[in-house]
Amino acid sequence: MPSAMILIADGTEEMEFTITYDTLVRAGVQCRSVFIPEPKFSEFAGSSSPPIVKGSRGINIMPDAYFDASQCGPDKFDVMVIPGGAKGAETMSQNSQVQTLVRDFLAQKKLVGMICAGSLSALTSDLPKQPLTSHPSVKSKLVDNFEYSEDAVVISGNLITTRGPGTTFPFALTLVELLCGKEKRAEVYGPMVFPVGTPW
Amino acid sequence: MPSAMILIADGTEEMEFTITYDTLVRAGVQCRSVFIPEPKFSEFAGSSSPPIVKGSRGINIMPDAYFDASQCGPDKFDVMVIPGGAKGAETMSQNSQVQTLVRDFLAQKKLVGMICAGSLSALTSDLPKQPLTSHPSVKSKLVDNFEYSEDAVVISGNLITTRGPGTTFPFALTLVELLCGKEKRAEVYGPMVFPVGTPW
């Protein structure tokens, strides 16, 4: 069974987090959300019970676990996902252990997904110039270092990026297809009941 | 500022809950999630701090408050939303106080939104025959008592119904338009970055 690690922090965009986690679970992917503390609270990392996160629009979510870099490597998970939400994405992209993991996952041919402002982690992890998208609000920080695209979902080798809450369904379904195949994607797609004419 | 009460229970479909809550907050609607206990746990209702809900795909969400019917009437909120998720929708639709509130909201010309299996509450609340949709999995329970439609979002007076996670964005944006106007809907729509060709 494929497995996914989905990062979460205070200020994470809760739709981007939830659509990804829920869609992957529907495909049989084992999901684990891990809490990234703000730098000023990093001394609490490693406590057994993670705190309740307040999402960017105020929904309270309890992560599955604290972030422990030694338990979060590409030997443990098939994909690592970094959602957006300005404040949450800032916390994740500035975390040096997250930056190292992004490089490790790609080096080990595992998938890395970045959503919305989560794409800032491609910059802070010093990834080589390649196709990428993000939320329009952070485009200016990325255009010089990447081949910036405005496609809904951009696949660049094992780095998958997307633009915002409105593109998270096709992003999550792309991860399902890459991890579990086209047939599983179709199996998951039907019961979600997208409107006629939906372009994904 | 318009206000919304969004029900949540163990087994609630977390995408349907989160997309609705988050989109309404983006429009400036004051949202309050209220926890509906399963009948066997109803003796705990009224405790000050609600328990953590496990969604239908395992995401842990802490509601804003316990359900207290005296604080949840149409004098307090402009819209009441009942999300799907088989188990959560069962808990809500079987709750007699929820049934009474559904009738009270409609009688007071306030909005009632039902998502997915949440539409079962239209049946258990004895609403008169009218246009309605739901998740296909519960269609057979509703076809005899309603004018069943397969449209993505069905507006029947003040009762707004929708089909599943895949139709929750247009559902939530419909609520934004009804509560806050077309201009606010457009203002919220842009930053969500839907793919080109999205039919809502």
Side-chain angles (χ1 to χ4, degrees), chain B:
Chain B
M1 184 192 287
S3 58
M5 167 175 65
I6 305 174
L7 307 190
I8 186 165
D10 273 314
T12 288
E13 216 303 323
E14 44 271 77
M15 294 192 279
E16 295 168 357
F17 170 82
T18 301
I19 292 170
T20 305
Y21 190 114
D22 185 317
T23 302
L24 289 174
V25 167
R26 285 169 177 252
V29 175
Q30 197 164 344
C31 289
R32 190 167 177 82
S33 58
V34 301
F35 173 73
I36 310 290
E38 290 176 64
K40 62 181 172 184
F41 296 126
S42 60
E43 66 270 24
F44 297 120
S47 300
S48 57
S49 175
I52 290 178
V53 163
K54 192 169 274 296
S56 63
R57 271 71 189 183
I59 296 180
N60 302 304
I61 297 176
M62 193 175 76
D64 296 325
Y66 250 109
F67 176 64
D68 171 353
S70 72
Q71 296 302 313
C72 293
D75 54 324
K76 301 278 196 295
F77 295 96
D78 297 300
V79 57
M80 134 178 214
V81 178
I82 303 180
K87 187 183 161 201
E90 174 76 12
T91 297
M92 294 169 194
S93 67
Q94 296 301 324
N95 185 303
S96 63
Q97 291 184 306
V98 170
Q99 294 162 10
T100 301
L101 278 182
V102 166
R103 291 188 295 267
D104 288 352
F105 268 69
L106 293 172
Q108 298 298 320
K109 310 291 182 201
K110 297 296 181 88
L111 300 177
V112 175
M114 298 176 181
I115 309 172
C116 194
S119 295
L120 290 173
S121 282
L123 186 69
T124 57
S125 304
D126 283 325
L127 297 190
K129 193 162 194 162
Q130 60 191 302
L132 162 150
T133 192
S134 72
H135 196 270
S137 59
V138 297
K139 175 181 175 178
S140 64
K141 299 185 178 172
L142 295 164
V143 278
D144 292 342
N145 294 73
F146 295 93
E147 296 163 30
Y148 197 87
S149 162
E150 298 194 345
D151 288 351
V153 180
V154 174
I155 302 178
S156 170
N158 282 14
L159 176 66
I160 323 297
T161 53
T162 195
R163 311 203 78 205
T167 61
T168 304
F169 275 122
F171 165 81
L173 289 163
T174 299
L175 293 185
V176 168
E177 185 170 333
L178 292 168
L179 292 168
C180 313
K182 271 185 195 300
E183 205 170 307
K184 181 59 78 177
R185 178 190 167 126
E187 188 187 314
V188 166
Y189 187 93
M192 293 167 86
V193 208
F194 291 101
V196 174
T198 296
W200 60 81

Side-chain angles (χ1 to χ4, degrees), chain A residues 81-161:
Chain A
V81 178
I82 303 181
K87 187 183 161 200
E90 175 76 13
T91 297
M92 294 167 193
S93 67
Q94 295 301 324
N95 185 303
S96 64
Q97 292 184 307
V98 170
Q99 294 162 11
T100 302
L101 278 182
V102 166
R103 290 187 295 266
D104 288 351
F105 268 69
L106 293 172
Q108 298 298 319
K109 309 291 183 202
K110 297 296 182 85
L111 301 177
V112 176
M114 298 177 181
I115 310 172
C116 195
S119 295
L120 290 172
S121 282
L123 186 69
T124 58
S125 304
D126 284 326
L127 297 190
K129 193 161 193 163
Q130 60 191 301
L132 164 149
T133 193
S134 72
H135 195 270
S137 60
V138 297
K139 175 180 174 179
S140 64
K141 298 185 179 172
L142 296 164
V143 278
D144 292 342
N145 293 72
F146 295 93
E147 295 164 31
Y148 197 86
S149 163
E150 298 194 345
D151 288 352
V153 180
V154 174
I155 302 178
S156 169
N158 281 14
L159 176 66
I160 323 297
T161 52

